[in-house]
Amino acid sequence: MQASLIVVKSDGSTATVPLTKARVVVGRDVSCQIRVPKPEVSREHCEFLVAGDRVALRDLGSSNGSFVNGERVSEASLSAGDVVAIGPCSFVISVDGSPSEEEAPQLVARLAQKARAGGADESDSFAGLGPIVDDPDSSSLMDFDIDLDDDDDDQPAL
């Protein structure tokens, strides 16, 4: 099984991050493999765990929580097509290439649309999915570093 995170930016563009390690930590701290230097993200926010044919998410006591398909979770098994929101970042779980990078923005948009239908304010964010209303400056929300080599020497300083 090949698991990946498809990062979906607010402008609809995507990038794929393969989950090649058994444990990938997301957070603000320079020791995290996926570093998101945003105040909504805790130093060590959550971790993705890959074992055999299973992918899981575990929140690491973050202040703002980790969300899977719009629901706040402390731990969850993940399936292909699940949308994970961490602060301002949206990730779609891809397993063996499904869903594709082209399909991922539609999954995030559908979840945001569902939130609007459920009464979310148009100007609010939905569980870290980024602004529901397009904001031309919002692409900067997705600036983050990826270091899956566990070699923190090459991680840029902020």
Side-chain angles (χ1 to χ4, degrees):
M1 175 190 76
Q2 293 183 339
S4 300
L5 302 176
I6 302 173
V7 181
V8 180
K9 298 181 181 183
S10 59
D11 65 0
S13 62
T14 60
T16 298
V17 179
L19 294 175
T20 57
K21 305 262 183 211
R23 179 178 187 251
V24 175
V25 178
V26 179
R28 274 192 343 254
D29 196 77
V30 295
S31 67
C32 296
Q33 289 80 35
I34 299 178
R35 191 168 135 220
V36 184
K38 299 293 176 187
E40 306 95 303
V41 177
S42 295
R43 283 184 294 258
E44 286 192 349
H45 196 97
C46 66
E47 62 187 357
F48 289 95
L49 304 166
V50 181
D53 62 350
R54 184 173 183 257
V55 180
L57 171 81
R58 180 181 305 145
D59 189 86
L60 297 173
S62 67
S63 299
N64 294 318
S66 301
F67 295 80
V68 176
N69 299 326
E71 299 291 324
R72 188 173 181 152
V73 298
S74 58
E75 191 167 328
S77 289
L78 302 173
S79 300
D82 283 345
V83 177
V84 175
I86 302 163
C89 300
S90 299
F91 301 94
V92 175
I93 305 303
S94 179
V95 177
D96 296 329
S98 181
S100 67
E101 272 195 39
E102 293 77 26
E103 297 167 304
Q106 297 164 352
L107 294 169
V108 172
R110 258 187 251 139
L111 192 56
Q113 186 176 35
K114 183 178 173 184
R116 271 189 297 233
D121 187 296
E122 291 278 332
S123 64
D124 286 343
S125 294
F126 172 66
L129 293 177
I132 291 173
V133 177
D134 289 334
D135 175 359
D137 297 325
S138 63
S139 63
S140 65
L141 289 174
M142 296 304 292
D143 293 335
F144 58 89
D145 302 317
I146 300 168
D147 181 12
L148 297 178
D149 295 327
D150 287 335
D151 178 12
D152 294 329
D153 294 338
D154 60 322
Q155 187 128 65
L158 290 179

